[in-house]
Amino acid sequence: MDDCSELAIKKICCTCLSKERKLFQLCRISDGVNNLYLLLSYDSEAFREGFYKDTASLFICWECRAVICRIARFRQQACIAQRQLSFIADGRLDINAQHCLSHLSRYHTTSYKSVISEADAVSDNFIDCGANNDIKTESEEDIPLSELHSNLLSDNEIETQDCKLNKESKFKKKRKLKRELYFSSAKMSEHELKEVLMSKKTSAEFVGSNFKCDSCIEMFHNESDLAAHNTSFHTERPKHIKCEICFIYTKENLHQHHKENHYNKHNCLCCGFVSYNQSVILAHLKDVHGVNLNVTVKKKTGRRKSDALQPGVQVHNDLSSSDKGTSYLCKECNKYFDNKNQRWKHVQRHHREGHKCITCGKRFAFKNNLARHQLLHEGPPPRTECPVCHKMIRVDLLKVHSRIHSEREQHTCVECSKSFVSRASYEHHLKYTQAHAATNILKYKCTVCDKGYRSRGELRDHVNYQHMGKTQHKCPICGKALATRRCITRHVRRAHDGVKESARDKICQQCGKAFRDKKGLREHELIHTGERPLSCELCGCTFRQSASLYTHRKRVHKIYPPAKRIQLV
């Protein structure tokens, strides 16, 4: 298969063969490749054809992505149901206490929502008999009007109070019944609590974790999550009290409740699972046994009535916490968001085709991004001459450019002795330089080769150029396809302007030789250490530079790699 065919496959959905839809790389979706192979296992020939394909070249549209996610959730539900059936067969779970896994619901009303009255309609055979004379019944003759009014009000108040009490009692009974059916809670003594904390600290999983908090005995995936945890919970704040057990700062009115929760012990009545956190036991019941005990409570909040009645809005109430938050559910991928705006943006980016540019065919999630992009097809923006340096500057950037010629405060980095003309550039240096950054700045990882990049734009340029054979960057003079905008600037300066860059601050610490980039310095340092990290897989010869290995393969083994063809988009 030639390169053109490979590029054509990358523009087609691998499950519905649609060409004009917004596509996602299948290997970047959670369990996307596994779910596809599971569907292909129904047909042995299709499974064999799909098994030998490069997963990095498979793309899927937004509609098929949502269908695969729903199939994966249904498969998980079927697995939970089979475990429940085995528990019922073994007698470990009562069949009457089993919770239905179906998400379908019904609504029944016993009264009319509206009553149509025809009291004002005049009939054909109506005879006017004069003024209306109310006829009192025997029970109303001796009762004053004021007393009747007071009795009526008191009856309404009593009925309202009874209704509220019935609702509260029903909710409490429902919550208590569910708790007693699936898990039990007990209080631990001081000695038992110390033994539990010690067993958690000495567990092999906690000891071997790289990112952990020794105060509250929690583990984290990376350093940034641990830093955010310490900032949020272990930083002293006004009107907060420090817990003597986990050293977390809690509000004064919630401190006693937080402290009492440390002594709680919860046992799963289905399988004997033990947890010391109620949210963990609730998650265990939901994931393993398919029982959802997060009871929904309707309370008056600051939201509008239309928000509360909108589909996808769920109010989560944990049985142990007094803080209630509203989450907005995306029905396509089952993710929750803090507000409607975040959910809407997520849906537009991941589950809709977006707005298409009629000139180049590129799609955008929002209209303002499309309008900004269409300006590129209208030609270069107007320019004007700077009165100081006589450079041709864009009209909209002339005010920013004029700051270069004015006196500004210099910001100097103490560690690397670099100076910056603005506070923004200095902060950018501190944030995105590996020597100063507090966290890993290469947080955007390529799913194919696992290389890290600082931004989504850099990752996109890498995937397009290295793995998909296309790019949107080209030299304005000779039209050469390049990987990034930075490569264009360097190419124009070296190839067309004839500028030879001098050696800068990349200096070898042993011989004092200077280099203009890190790659040259790194390859030079191998001379002093004697290392030859690259080796030929055919004859075993070792080399310091990749260029030397490339030349060796061509001259000795007659291996000529095909020329890489990049398509401009």
Side-chain angles (χ1 to χ4, degrees):
M1 184 184 294
D2 55 0
D3 294 342
C4 296
S5 300
E6 291 182 359
L7 290 175
I9 290 177
K10 294 177 181 179
K11 296 180 181 180
I12 304 175
C13 175
C14 64
T15 53
C16 70
L17 301 182
S18 60
K19 301 177 182 178
E20 299 297 329
R21 290 186 171 181
K22 184 178 181 179
L23 301 178
F24 302 89
Q25 196 171 9
L26 188 65
C27 59
R28 300 187 67 179
I29 302 174
S30 178
D31 289 336
V33 179
N34 295 334
N35 291 329
L36 178 63
Y37 285 157
L38 183 66
L39 296 174
L40 297 179
S41 62
Y42 178 77
D43 188 345
S44 59
E45 183 179 356
F47 183 82
R48 183 171 58 255
E49 293 292 335
F51 186 80
Y52 290 105
K53 280 188 173 62
D54 183 16
T55 57
S57 63
L58 297 179
F59 285 76
I60 190 170
C61 69
W62 57 271
E63 181 184 8
C64 298
R65 176 185 179 183
V67 173
I68 284 185
C69 290
R70 285 197 292 269
I71 293 175
R73 290 199 299 269
F74 182 75
R75 184 174 69 247
Q76 182 181 7
Q77 175 183 316
C79 295
I80 294 175
Q82 292 301 315
R83 287 196 294 266
Q84 293 293 322
L85 290 176
S86 63
F87 290 156
I88 295 174
D90 296 341
R92 290 184 287 174
L93 182 63
D94 186 9
I95 189 172
N96 296 324
Q98 175 56 36
H99 181 70
C100 180
L101 301 180
S102 175
H103 296 287
L104 295 178
S105 60
R106 64 178 183 176
Y107 178 74
H108 176 70
T109 178
T110 58
S111 62
Y112 295 105
K113 293 183 178 179
S114 60
V115 178
I116 301 176
S117 176
E118 297 185 357
D120 297 334
V122 180
S123 59
D124 296 336
N125 57 354
F126 175 73
I127 300 175
D128 190 1
C129 298
N132 293 332
N133 296 320
D134 294 335
I135 302 174
K136 296 183 180 180
T137 62
E138 183 180 355
S139 59
E140 294 177 347
E141 284 182 349
D142 299 332
I143 302 176
L145 183 61
S146 59
E147 187 176 347
L148 278 174
H149 185 66
S150 62
N151 291 339
L152 183 63
L153 289 177
S154 60
D155 291 341
N156 290 337
E157 291 175 357
I158 293 172
E159 184 179 353
T160 305
Q161 292 177 1
D162 291 342
C163 184
K164 289 182 179 179
L165 291 174
N166 289 335
K167 287 182 179 179
E168 292 178 1
S169 60
K170 284 181 181 179
F171 167 70
K172 290 180 180 179
K173 287 180 180 179
K174 183 179 179 181
R175 183 173 63 178
K176 185 177 180 181
L177 180 61
K178 282 193 172 184
R179 290 179 55 158
E180 293 176 352
L181 283 176
Y182 296 103
F183 73 95
S184 61
S185 302
K187 289 287 184 181
M188 295 186 297
S189 62
E190 195 75 29
H191 179 68
E192 290 176 341
L193 179 61
K194 290 182 180 179
E195 289 183 351
V196 169
L197 296 177
M198 185 57 64
S199 63
K200 287 183 179 180
K201 280 189 176 182
T202 55
S203 63
E205 184 180 7
F206 184 78
V207 173
S209 177
N210 295 326
F211 308 102
K212 57 187 176 182
C213 178
D214 295 322
S215 302
C216 50
I217 317 179
E218 288 189 19
M219 294 173 289
F220 301 89
H221 295 291
N222 47 51
E223 188 178 357
S224 60
D225 292 345
L226 177 58
H229 167 78
N230 291 328
T231 305
S232 302
F233 298 103
H234 294 292
T235 305
E236 188 175 358
R237 305 181 201 175
K239 296 184 180 180
H240 282 64
I241 302 176
K242 186 177 182 181
C243 177
E244 300 86 355
I245 300 173
C246 62
F247 305 104
I248 287 178
Y249 287 90
T250 58
K251 293 182 179 180
E252 296 176 352
N253 56 342
L254 300 177
H255 177 70
Q256 188 62 28
H257 177 70
H258 166 81
K259 188 176 180 181
E260 291 176 355
N261 284 337
H262 285 295
Y263 295 90
N264 291 333
K265 181 180 179 181
H266 309 285
N267 295 298
C268 177
L269 300 180
C270 300
C271 61
F273 175 77
V274 180
S275 174
Y276 304 97
N277 190 337
Q278 193 163 10
S279 60
V280 176
I281 192 71
L282 292 175
H284 165 77
L285 288 172
K286 183 178 180 180
D287 297 337
V288 179
H289 305 295
V291 179
N292 188 7
L293 294 182
N294 288 327
V295 183
T296 302
V297 183
K298 294 182 179 179
K299 287 193 69 177
K300 289 185 178 180
T301 60
R303 299 182 293 118
R304 298 189 302 269
K305 187 177 181 180
S306 59
D307 296 346
L309 298 178
Q310 184 177 356
V313 179
Q314 294 188 3
V315 181
H316 300 286
N317 178 27
D318 203 351
L319 295 175
S320 62
S321 64
S322 60
D323 298 332
K324 303 174 182 62
T326 305
S327 297
Y328 293 81
L329 172 67
C330 173
K331 292 190 175 182
E332 302 289 343
C333 59
N334 208 25
K335 289 184 179 180
Y336 289 94
F337 299 90
D338 294 335
N339 52 57
K340 291 191 299 182
N341 189 25
Q342 291 182 3
R343 182 182 64 177
W344 180 79
K345 289 182 178 179
H346 163 78
V347 170
Q348 296 300 318
R349 289 192 180 105
H350 298 90
H351 305 301
R352 297 295 179 267
E353 296 183 14
H355 306 278
K356 184 178 180 180
C357 177
I358 58 177
T359 305
C360 63
K362 192 173 182 180
R363 294 185 178 273
F364 297 89
F366 309 105
K367 286 184 178 180
N368 57 342
N369 294 341
L370 174 61
R372 192 183 305 113
H373 164 77
Q374 288 177 339
L375 295 176
L376 300 176
H377 300 299
E378 297 177 359
R383 295 176 178 268
T384 184
E385 184 180 358
C386 175
V388 180
C389 62
H390 305 290
K391 287 184 178 180
M392 299 302 294
I393 310 297
R394 283 171 47 179
V395 175
D396 55 340
L397 298 179
L398 181 61
K399 185 176 180 180
V400 179
H401 170 78
S402 61
R403 298 177 185 174
I404 299 176
H405 307 297
S406 60
E407 295 184 1
R408 290 189 292 176
E409 181 184 0
Q410 292 285 333
H411 300 272
T412 306
C413 180
V414 179
E415 298 185 12
C416 54
S417 301
K418 288 185 177 180
S419 298
F420 303 91
V421 295
S422 66
R423 182 74 181 179
S425 59
Y426 173 59
E427 291 179 353
H428 185 274
H429 165 76
L430 295 178
K431 185 177 180 180
Y432 293 107
T433 306
Q434 291 187 352
H436 308 313
T439 59
N440 183 21
I441 60 175
L442 305 177
K443 57 182 180 180
Y444 297 97
K445 301 291 183 180
C446 176
T447 56
V448 181
C449 59
D450 203 34
K451 287 185 178 180
Y453 294 90
R454 296 187 301 179
S455 64
R456 290 190 180 93
E458 293 180 0
L459 176 61
R460 183 187 62 246
D461 291 339
H462 162 76
V463 172
N464 289 341
Y465 191 82
Q466 299 294 338
H467 304 302
M468 299 181 65
K470 64 180 183 180
T471 183
Q472 58 182 354
H473 306 287
K474 68 175 182 178
C475 175
I477 301 175
C478 63
K480 182 179 180 181
L482 299 166
T484 62
R485 287 192 301 174
R486 186 179 301 176
C487 294
I488 295 176
T489 305
R490 185 175 56 194
H491 166 77
V492 171
R493 185 170 59 247
R494 295 177 180 178
H496 302 293
D497 296 343
V499 177
K500 293 185 177 181
E501 298 178 352
S502 59
R504 295 186 178 180
D505 54 347
K506 307 298 185 293
I507 301 175
C508 177
Q509 300 298 321
Q510 297 192 24
C511 63
K513 190 175 181 179
F515 299 87
R516 65 185 180 188
D517 52 23
K518 291 182 179 180
K519 181 182 178 181
L521 175 61
R522 185 170 60 249
E523 292 178 349
H524 166 78
E525 288 176 342
L526 297 176
I527 299 176
H528 300 295
T529 59
E531 297 180 15
R532 304 172 74 90
L534 303 177
S535 62
C536 177
E537 67 275 7
L538 299 177
C539 61
C541 293
T542 58
F543 303 91
R544 282 192 297 268
Q545 299 179 358
S546 57
S548 301
L549 175 60
Y550 178 81
T551 306
H552 165 80
R553 288 165 59 90
K554 285 175 55 177
R555 293 181 177 176
V556 178
H557 303 294
K558 307 300 180 183
I559 298 177
Y560 299 93
K564 191 172 184 179
R565 288 182 291 180
I566 305 298
Q567 180 184 7
L568 286 169
V569 294

